[in-house]
Amino acid sequence: MTAPIVRKPLLRVLAGQREPIPPLWLMRQAGRYLPEYRALREKAAGFLDLCFDAKRAAEITLQPIRRFGFDAAILFSDILVVPHALGQRVSFVEGEGPRLDALNDPAANAVAGEPSEAANEAAWASRLSSRELEVAFLVARGLSNKEVARKLNVTDGTIKVHMHRIFKKLGTMKA
């Protein structure tokens, strides 16, 4: 049986073929200025609602492709889903950007009579490896992937793999 014909330029390049014109894709935020993005954003209760709503996230992902004919896209999301998934409160201040509340100390919460929050944090933490926990806490404290990689003496790619696994284990993305 012969291999299927790949029509998308990016997929052909990824399969090892040379293209006369390199395929084009843009990183996230590429469509933030688009009127169709702004219209969808206005209808959402908040920014994270866009990230967690599969239909809206897919629509936002496809908007620049429809408008400009790019060859590929990165799924719409945001790094702030990580601290949110870890139980940290994330909010957005108009004209300033995201704000993260202080991380909670599960032991202090238990002493203060809030064992349910500590139990909740222990439940998600039990799903992650010790390295994934370390990465998650560093990201939740505001370090960039590059800063985390430097601190842990690993490559950026390794941090991206850990982040993918964290998202997957915490149910913020499908397998």
Side-chain angles (χ1 to χ4, degrees):
M1 183 172 258
T2 60
I5 297 173
V6 179
R7 290 184 165 77
K8 300 283 184 182
L10 181 65
L11 296 178
R12 288 194 303 263
V13 168
L14 292 174
Q17 296 178 18
R18 289 195 168 268
E19 287 289 312
I21 299 173
L24 177 66
W25 61 276
L26 296 178
M27 296 294 287
R28 67 182 188 93
Q29 299 182 345
R32 282 184 145 178
Y33 64 91
L34 295 177
E36 52 267 42
Y37 167 83
R38 292 187 180 279
L40 196 57
R41 173 70 175 90
E42 284 179 21
K43 293 177 187 174
F47 178 75
L48 287 176
D49 293 326
L50 294 174
C51 297
F52 294 131
D53 182 321
K55 287 184 180 183
R56 285 181 176 158
E59 173 60 27
I60 291 168
T61 298
L62 295 172
Q63 287 173 348
I65 289 178
R66 287 189 195 114
R67 183 175 276 254
F68 303 111
F70 295 137
D71 297 304
I74 294 175
L75 294 176
F76 174 79
S77 189
D78 194 86
I79 191 65
L80 293 172
V81 300
V82 175
H84 180 270
L86 296 174
Q88 189 173 16
R89 187 173 176 278
V90 178
S91 60
F92 295 85
V93 177
E94 185 75 30
E96 291 184 32
R99 292 285 179 261
L100 300 169
D101 283 1
L103 286 173
N104 292 324
D105 179 352
N109 290 340
V111 170
E114 299 178 20
S116 60
E117 187 173 335
N120 185 34
E121 290 184 19
W124 66 255
S126 68
R127 291 184 257 166
L128 304 179
S129 71
S130 59
R131 183 59 119 184
E132 290 164 348
L133 275 172
E134 189 173 16
V135 168
F137 279 117
L138 290 171
V139 169
R141 286 189 170 90
L143 273 67
S144 69
N145 281 6
K146 286 182 189 245
E147 291 168 325
V148 173
R150 238 180 320 213
K151 186 169 183 66
L152 300 179
N153 199 28
V154 297
T155 66
D156 292 357
T158 300
I159 298 303
K160 288 178 185 175
V161 168
H162 284 304
M163 294 303 296
H164 177 80
R165 289 179 182 158
I166 291 165
F167 286 140
K168 193 171 168 185
K169 287 180 180 181
L170 295 179
T172 56
M173 71 184 299
K174 294 188 178 188

